[in-house]
Short mmCIF file of all heavy atoms in Angstrom, two decimals:
data_model
loop_
_atom_site.label_atom_id
_atom_site.label_comp_id
_atom_site.label_asym_id
_atom_site.label_seq_id
_atom_site.Cartn_x
_atom_site.Cartn_y
_atom_site.Cartn_z
N GLU A 1 -188.53 -83.52 -110.66
CA GLU A 1 -188.94 -83.00 -109.36
C GLU A 1 -189.80 -83.99 -108.60
O GLU A 1 -189.56 -84.28 -107.41
CB GLU A 1 -189.70 -81.69 -109.56
CG GLU A 1 -190.13 -81.01 -108.27
CD GLU A 1 -190.92 -79.74 -108.54
OE1 GLU A 1 -191.90 -79.79 -109.34
OE2 GLU A 1 -190.57 -78.69 -107.99
N LYS A 2 -190.81 -84.56 -109.29
CA LYS A 2 -191.69 -85.53 -108.63
C LYS A 2 -190.90 -86.77 -108.21
O LYS A 2 -191.10 -87.31 -107.11
CB LYS A 2 -192.83 -85.94 -109.57
CG LYS A 2 -193.80 -84.83 -109.92
CD LYS A 2 -194.61 -84.37 -108.73
CE LYS A 2 -195.66 -83.34 -109.13
NZ LYS A 2 -196.29 -82.72 -107.96
N GLU A 3 -190.01 -87.24 -109.08
CA GLU A 3 -189.22 -88.42 -108.76
C GLU A 3 -188.34 -88.16 -107.54
O GLU A 3 -188.21 -89.00 -106.65
CB GLU A 3 -188.37 -88.83 -109.96
CG GLU A 3 -189.18 -89.39 -111.12
CD GLU A 3 -188.34 -89.64 -112.36
OE1 GLU A 3 -187.17 -89.17 -112.41
OE2 GLU A 3 -188.85 -90.29 -113.30
N PHE A 4 -187.73 -86.97 -107.50
CA PHE A 4 -186.87 -86.61 -106.38
C PHE A 4 -187.68 -86.52 -105.08
O PHE A 4 -187.26 -87.05 -104.03
CB PHE A 4 -186.17 -85.28 -106.66
CG PHE A 4 -185.40 -84.75 -105.48
CD1 PHE A 4 -184.21 -85.31 -105.10
CD2 PHE A 4 -185.90 -83.67 -104.76
CE1 PHE A 4 -183.51 -84.83 -104.01
CE2 PHE A 4 -185.20 -83.18 -103.68
CZ PHE A 4 -184.00 -83.76 -103.29
N LEU A 5 -188.84 -85.87 -105.12
CA LEU A 5 -189.66 -85.73 -103.92
C LEU A 5 -190.17 -87.09 -103.45
O LEU A 5 -190.30 -87.33 -102.25
CB LEU A 5 -190.83 -84.77 -104.20
CG LEU A 5 -190.43 -83.32 -104.44
CD1 LEU A 5 -191.65 -82.50 -104.85
CD2 LEU A 5 -189.77 -82.72 -103.20
N GLN A 6 -190.44 -87.99 -104.40
CA GLN A 6 -190.86 -89.35 -104.03
C GLN A 6 -189.72 -90.08 -103.33
O GLN A 6 -189.92 -90.80 -102.34
CB GLN A 6 -191.30 -90.12 -105.27
CG GLN A 6 -191.99 -91.46 -104.98
CD GLN A 6 -193.32 -91.26 -104.28
OE1 GLN A 6 -194.24 -90.66 -104.82
NE2 GLN A 6 -193.43 -91.77 -103.06
N GLN A 7 -188.50 -89.89 -103.84
CA GLN A 7 -187.33 -90.51 -103.21
C GLN A 7 -187.09 -89.97 -101.81
O GLN A 7 -186.64 -90.69 -100.91
CB GLN A 7 -186.09 -90.27 -104.08
CG GLN A 7 -186.11 -91.00 -105.40
CD GLN A 7 -185.04 -90.48 -106.37
OE1 GLN A 7 -184.20 -89.67 -105.99
NE2 GLN A 7 -185.08 -90.94 -107.62
N CYS A 8 -187.39 -88.70 -101.61
CA CYS A 8 -187.18 -88.06 -100.31
C CYS A 8 -188.22 -88.50 -99.28
O CYS A 8 -187.98 -88.37 -98.07
CB CYS A 8 -187.26 -86.54 -100.44
SG CYS A 8 -185.85 -85.78 -101.26
N ALA A 9 -189.35 -89.00 -99.73
CA ALA A 9 -190.48 -89.28 -98.85
C ALA A 9 -190.13 -90.22 -97.71
O ALA A 9 -190.62 -90.07 -96.58
CB ALA A 9 -191.66 -89.83 -99.64
N SER A 10 -189.27 -91.21 -97.97
CA SER A 10 -188.93 -92.19 -96.94
C SER A 10 -188.20 -91.55 -95.76
O SER A 10 -188.35 -91.98 -94.62
CB SER A 10 -188.07 -93.31 -97.53
OG SER A 10 -186.87 -92.78 -98.09
N SER A 11 -187.42 -90.50 -96.02
CA SER A 11 -186.70 -89.83 -94.94
C SER A 11 -187.38 -88.53 -94.49
O SER A 11 -187.29 -88.16 -93.33
CB SER A 11 -185.25 -89.53 -95.38
OG SER A 11 -185.23 -88.80 -96.59
N SER A 12 -188.07 -87.86 -95.42
CA SER A 12 -188.73 -86.60 -95.05
C SER A 12 -190.09 -86.82 -94.40
O SER A 12 -190.57 -85.98 -93.66
CB SER A 12 -188.91 -85.72 -96.30
OG SER A 12 -189.92 -86.25 -97.16
N GLY A 13 -190.71 -87.96 -94.69
CA GLY A 13 -192.01 -88.27 -94.13
C GLY A 13 -193.17 -87.66 -94.88
O GLY A 13 -194.33 -87.86 -94.51
N ILE A 14 -192.89 -86.92 -95.95
CA ILE A 14 -193.94 -86.30 -96.75
C ILE A 14 -193.65 -86.53 -98.23
O ILE A 14 -192.58 -86.18 -98.71
CB ILE A 14 -194.05 -84.79 -96.49
CG1 ILE A 14 -194.30 -84.50 -94.99
CG2 ILE A 14 -195.15 -84.17 -97.33
CD1 ILE A 14 -194.33 -83.02 -94.64
N GLY A 15 -194.60 -87.12 -98.94
CA GLY A 15 -194.42 -87.39 -100.35
C GLY A 15 -195.27 -86.48 -101.22
O GLY A 15 -196.07 -85.69 -100.72
N PRO A 16 -195.09 -86.57 -102.55
CA PRO A 16 -195.88 -85.76 -103.48
C PRO A 16 -197.28 -86.32 -103.66
O PRO A 16 -197.58 -87.44 -103.20
CB PRO A 16 -195.08 -85.85 -104.78
CG PRO A 16 -194.43 -87.19 -104.71
CD PRO A 16 -194.11 -87.42 -103.25
N VAL A 17 -198.15 -85.59 -104.36
CA VAL A 17 -199.48 -86.11 -104.69
C VAL A 17 -199.31 -87.29 -105.65
O VAL A 17 -198.30 -87.38 -106.36
CB VAL A 17 -200.35 -85.02 -105.35
CG1 VAL A 17 -200.51 -83.83 -104.43
CG2 VAL A 17 -199.75 -84.57 -106.68
N PRO A 18 -200.29 -88.20 -105.68
CA PRO A 18 -200.22 -89.29 -106.67
C PRO A 18 -200.12 -88.72 -108.08
O PRO A 18 -200.86 -87.79 -108.43
CB PRO A 18 -201.53 -90.03 -106.45
CG PRO A 18 -201.92 -89.73 -105.03
CD PRO A 18 -201.46 -88.32 -104.80
N TYR A 19 -199.22 -89.27 -108.88
CA TYR A 19 -198.99 -88.72 -110.21
C TYR A 19 -198.55 -89.82 -111.17
O TYR A 19 -198.15 -90.92 -110.76
CB TYR A 19 -197.91 -87.64 -110.16
CG TYR A 19 -196.50 -88.17 -110.01
CD1 TYR A 19 -195.68 -88.39 -111.12
CD2 TYR A 19 -195.99 -88.50 -108.75
CE1 TYR A 19 -194.40 -88.90 -110.99
CE2 TYR A 19 -194.70 -89.01 -108.61
CZ TYR A 19 -193.91 -89.21 -109.72
OH TYR A 19 -192.65 -89.73 -109.59
N CYS A 20 -198.60 -89.51 -112.46
CA CYS A 20 -198.01 -90.38 -113.47
C CYS A 20 -197.46 -89.50 -114.59
O CYS A 20 -197.89 -88.35 -114.76
CB CYS A 20 -199.02 -91.40 -114.00
SG CYS A 20 -200.53 -90.70 -114.65
N VAL A 21 -196.50 -90.01 -115.31
CA VAL A 21 -195.85 -89.28 -116.38
C VAL A 21 -196.51 -89.63 -117.70
O VAL A 21 -196.76 -90.80 -118.00
CB VAL A 21 -194.34 -89.62 -116.43
CG1 VAL A 21 -193.67 -88.88 -117.59
CG2 VAL A 21 -193.67 -89.28 -115.11
N ILE A 22 -196.83 -88.61 -118.49
CA ILE A 22 -197.43 -88.78 -119.82
C ILE A 22 -196.41 -88.34 -120.86
O ILE A 22 -196.10 -87.16 -120.98
CB ILE A 22 -198.72 -87.94 -119.98
CG1 ILE A 22 -199.71 -88.21 -118.84
CG2 ILE A 22 -199.36 -88.22 -121.34
CD1 ILE A 22 -200.27 -89.60 -118.80
N GLN A 23 -195.87 -89.29 -121.59
CA GLN A 23 -194.91 -88.93 -122.64
C GLN A 23 -195.18 -89.65 -123.96
O GLN A 23 -194.43 -89.50 -124.93
CB GLN A 23 -193.48 -89.21 -122.17
CG GLN A 23 -193.23 -90.60 -121.64
CD GLN A 23 -191.85 -90.72 -121.01
OE1 GLN A 23 -191.02 -89.81 -121.12
NE2 GLN A 23 -191.58 -91.84 -120.36
N SER A 24 -196.26 -90.46 -124.00
CA SER A 24 -196.63 -91.13 -125.24
C SER A 24 -198.13 -91.38 -125.25
O SER A 24 -198.81 -91.29 -124.22
CB SER A 24 -195.89 -92.48 -125.37
OG SER A 24 -196.39 -93.41 -124.43
N GLN A 25 -198.63 -91.70 -126.43
CA GLN A 25 -200.06 -92.00 -126.59
C GLN A 25 -200.48 -93.16 -125.69
O GLN A 25 -201.57 -93.16 -125.11
CB GLN A 25 -200.35 -92.36 -128.06
CG GLN A 25 -201.81 -92.29 -128.46
CD GLN A 25 -202.34 -90.87 -128.63
OE1 GLN A 25 -201.60 -90.00 -129.03
NE2 GLN A 25 -203.60 -90.65 -128.30
N ASN A 26 -199.60 -94.12 -125.54
CA ASN A 26 -199.90 -95.30 -124.73
C ASN A 26 -200.10 -94.94 -123.25
O ASN A 26 -200.92 -95.54 -122.55
CB ASN A 26 -198.79 -96.33 -124.87
CG ASN A 26 -199.11 -97.62 -124.15
OD1 ASN A 26 -200.10 -98.28 -124.44
ND2 ASN A 26 -198.26 -97.99 -123.19
N ASP A 27 -199.34 -93.93 -122.79
CA ASP A 27 -199.44 -93.53 -121.38
C ASP A 27 -200.84 -93.02 -121.05
O ASP A 27 -201.29 -93.12 -119.90
CB ASP A 27 -198.41 -92.45 -121.06
CG ASP A 27 -196.99 -92.97 -121.11
OD1 ASP A 27 -196.78 -94.16 -120.86
OD2 ASP A 27 -196.08 -92.16 -121.42
N LEU A 28 -201.53 -92.47 -122.05
CA LEU A 28 -202.88 -91.93 -121.81
C LEU A 28 -203.86 -93.02 -121.42
O LEU A 28 -204.83 -92.76 -120.70
CB LEU A 28 -203.38 -91.21 -123.07
CG LEU A 28 -202.58 -89.98 -123.53
CD1 LEU A 28 -203.05 -89.54 -124.92
CD2 LEU A 28 -202.73 -88.84 -122.53
N THR A 29 -203.62 -94.23 -121.87
CA THR A 29 -204.56 -95.33 -121.62
C THR A 29 -204.28 -96.08 -120.33
O THR A 29 -205.06 -96.93 -119.92
CB THR A 29 -204.52 -96.33 -122.79
OG1 THR A 29 -203.21 -96.92 -122.85
CG2 THR A 29 -204.82 -95.63 -124.11
N THR A 30 -203.15 -95.77 -119.69
CA THR A 30 -202.77 -96.52 -118.48
C THR A 30 -202.96 -95.71 -117.20
O THR A 30 -202.58 -96.17 -116.12
CB THR A 30 -201.29 -96.97 -118.58
OG1 THR A 30 -200.45 -95.82 -118.72
CG2 THR A 30 -201.09 -97.89 -119.77
N VAL A 31 -203.54 -94.51 -117.31
CA VAL A 31 -203.78 -93.69 -116.12
C VAL A 31 -204.87 -94.34 -115.28
O VAL A 31 -205.96 -94.63 -115.78
CB VAL A 31 -204.19 -92.26 -116.52
CG1 VAL A 31 -204.54 -91.45 -115.28
CG2 VAL A 31 -203.09 -91.58 -117.31
N PRO A 32 -204.61 -94.59 -114.00
CA PRO A 32 -205.63 -95.20 -113.13
C PRO A 32 -206.89 -94.35 -113.06
O PRO A 32 -206.82 -93.11 -113.03
CB PRO A 32 -204.94 -95.27 -111.76
CG PRO A 32 -203.48 -95.23 -112.06
CD PRO A 32 -203.33 -94.36 -113.28
N GLY A 33 -208.04 -94.99 -113.03
CA GLY A 33 -209.30 -94.27 -113.01
C GLY A 33 -209.46 -93.36 -111.81
O GLY A 33 -210.09 -92.30 -111.90
N HIS A 34 -208.87 -93.76 -110.67
CA HIS A 34 -209.05 -92.96 -109.45
C HIS A 34 -208.21 -91.68 -109.48
O HIS A 34 -208.32 -90.85 -108.56
CB HIS A 34 -208.71 -93.80 -108.21
CG HIS A 34 -207.27 -94.19 -108.11
ND1 HIS A 34 -206.33 -93.38 -107.53
CD2 HIS A 34 -206.62 -95.31 -108.51
CE1 HIS A 34 -205.15 -93.98 -107.57
NE2 HIS A 34 -205.30 -95.15 -108.17
N PHE A 35 -207.40 -91.46 -110.54
CA PHE A 35 -206.64 -90.23 -110.67
C PHE A 35 -207.51 -89.07 -111.17
O PHE A 35 -207.11 -87.92 -111.11
CB PHE A 35 -205.46 -90.42 -111.64
CG PHE A 35 -204.20 -90.92 -110.99
CD1 PHE A 35 -204.25 -91.89 -110.00
CD2 PHE A 35 -202.97 -90.42 -111.35
CE1 PHE A 35 -203.10 -92.38 -109.39
CE2 PHE A 35 -201.79 -90.88 -110.76
CZ PHE A 35 -201.87 -91.86 -109.77
#
C-alpha cells in the first residue's frame, strides 16, 4: 500500500507519510533518527 501510494504521488500530488519497512534485525538499525 505504501509503495503504491508513493508511486501515485507524482501524478496525484499527495504522498504517504515518511516510512520505512522493517523485516529484519538489520532494518532496526537503519531507521533515520528524525523518524
